[in-house]
Amino acid sequence: MAGTKEIKNRIQSVQETQKITNAMYLIASTKLRKARQELENTRPYFEALRGEIKRVFRTAGNVDSRYFYPDSGDATLDGTYGCLVITADKGLAGSYNQNAIREATRLLEQHPDTKLFVVGEYGRRFFAQRGIPIEHSFLYTAQNPTMARAREISALLLDGFDRGELKKIFIVYTDMANAMSFQARSTRLLPFHRTHFADAAVVEQPVTEPFEFLPDVRAVLNSMMPSYVSGFIYSALIDSFCCEQEARMTAMDSANQNAENLLGELSLEFNRVRQSSITQEITEISAGARAQKQKHRKNTR
């Protein structure tokens, strides 16, 4: 049975750990609020851009673009695929990283000829330890994502797509359904379906005059798509970052509760051991006093 000194040391150790987990909870909460605000600030621009792409298709229905499937639907695109995997730079975030890795692994099993583009140290370490080749690693993009980093990722992926090296591009990220739940998703980034823009939640003004596209509608659409792809990637980075912080907050809150429960158990054990020690000391003192009293009686006879 542990003594009072050992229990005291363990209580101090748990209290120090609790300070760290509580600090990590507060930091994650602050980062989450900031990331959500940044996403809300940029969302209107990309929603408007999506609405304009929808307007192009509504105005010129026969437009042809390399970024879209033809009107007939999915074309058979055999060849190398690209997959952008967004993970965190560190753990301590529950199942956040494992869910994203599991989704990426599923895509690799379905189509082995897939080049990986990885965001986050956790993902880089996972694939490197298992000997899975990584086409490109984006350093320092998991923490505090910015539009500039999203454009850097977009430019590299679009370059491979435009040159025909990548037939399809997927993105694995974590989507926050609401404030309490999130889910790892795999979404085809390129090529798009035309129906992807059919339900754009943008209130359009009625068209009274025909549009004029210079130099032509295909060139206009192709110039808009890189910006939209950058916005899509930026949104995925922000969503993943928000989910990471939410997962870390949940994990740290659970750790704090476990620490509280452990401290309660240790306090009870400490009081029990201390009370047992006091009782033993009292018993020893009483026994010693009784023995001295009996000895004194014998000597006085």
Side-chain angles (χ1 to χ4, degrees):
M1 187 176 181
T4 55
K5 183 176 180 181
E6 289 80 3
I7 298 175
K8 254 186 179 180
N9 291 337
R10 192 173 180 193
I11 288 176
Q12 291 177 355
S13 175
V14 173
Q15 288 174 339
E16 292 298 325
T17 303
Q18 191 178 29
K19 290 179 182 178
I20 296 174
T21 57
N22 188 53
M24 292 182 67
Y25 177 91
L26 296 176
I27 292 172
S29 176
T30 302
K31 288 183 176 180
L32 177 62
R33 287 196 300 269
K34 183 180 177 182
R36 281 178 173 170
Q37 186 60 45
E38 290 179 355
L39 183 61
E40 290 302 319
N41 291 339
T42 57
R43 193 187 299 275
Y45 169 76
F46 294 106
E47 286 182 349
L49 184 59
R50 183 179 178 185
E52 292 305 316
I53 296 172
K54 174 186 177 181
R55 193 189 298 263
V56 169
F57 281 112
R58 187 165 61 88
T59 305
N62 59 346
V63 61
D64 181 29
S65 172
R66 62 180 179 274
Y67 298 116
F68 291 85
Y69 281 114
D71 290 330
S72 57
D74 286 7
T76 303
L77 298 176
D78 296 327
T80 303
Y81 292 175
C83 181
L84 174 65
V85 185
I86 301 176
T87 63
D89 285 331
K90 55 187 177 182
L92 299 177
S95 61
Y96 167 80
N97 288 300
Q98 289 79 5
N99 290 339
I101 293 294
R102 190 179 301 114
E103 193 66 25
T105 304
R106 185 182 65 83
L107 286 176
L108 286 174
E109 291 173 352
Q110 293 177 352
H111 192 84
D113 188 11
T114 300
K115 293 183 178 180
L116 291 177
F117 300 83
V118 181
V119 172
E121 182 61 31
Y122 191 97
R124 288 191 290 270
R125 200 164 53 240
F126 177 88
F127 292 117
Q129 289 174 351
R130 286 155 182 80
I132 301 175
I134 299 175
E135 181 68 17
H136 189 87
S137 293
F138 300 98
L139 303 177
Y140 312 115
T141 51
Q143 295 293 318
N144 303 320
T146 63
M147 192 63 214
R149 291 170 177 172
R151 289 195 181 99
E152 176 189 345
I153 297 172
S154 174
L156 184 62
L157 294 176
L158 285 173
D159 181 62
F161 185 80
D162 292 338
R163 288 190 283 114
E165 295 178 359
L166 303 176
K167 298 300 182 181
K168 287 185 181 180
I169 297 177
F170 293 85
I171 178 169
V172 175
Y173 69 104
T174 309
D175 181 37
M176 180 174 286
N178 52 57
M180 298 301 295
S181 64
F182 49 87
Q183 181 182 4
R185 296 184 181 276
S186 59
T187 302
R188 188 186 63 252
L189 182 60
L190 288 171
F192 286 105
H193 274 299
R194 295 166 190 263
T195 55
H196 179 80
F197 297 90
D199 59 346
V202 178
V203 178
E204 296 185 0
Q205 298 297 327
V207 179
T208 57
E209 297 292 337
F211 286 106
E212 182 179 358
F213 300 97
L214 295 176
D216 55 52
V217 63
R218 181 179 181 181
V220 171
L221 186 61
N222 287 345
S223 67
M224 296 171 69
M225 290 313 300
S227 294
Y228 183 79
V229 171
S230 297
F232 193 101
I233 293 175
Y234 178 64
S235 177
L237 288 171
I238 292 288
D239 272 341
S240 296
F241 184 71
C242 288
C243 292
E244 177 195 347
Q245 303 311 318
E246 183 69 33
R248 184 161 289 115
M249 287 172 61
T250 302
M252 293 303 103
D253 183 60
S254 178
N256 285 333
Q257 292 179 4
N258 292 337
E260 287 292 341
N261 295 335
L262 184 57
L263 286 174
E265 294 174 1
L266 288 173
S267 296
L268 289 175
E269 185 179 355
F270 176 80
N271 292 333
R272 192 181 299 114
V273 172
R274 184 169 176 270
Q275 185 63 41
S276 176
S277 176
I278 293 174
T279 302
Q280 183 178 356
E281 290 178 1
I282 293 175
T283 302
E284 292 174 352
I285 292 173
S286 299
R290 191 180 301 112
Q292 289 293 330
K293 191 174 182 180
Q294 291 176 355
K295 183 178 179 181
H296 179 69
R297 286 177 181 176
K298 290 180 179 180
N299 292 335
T300 54
R301 286 178 184 177

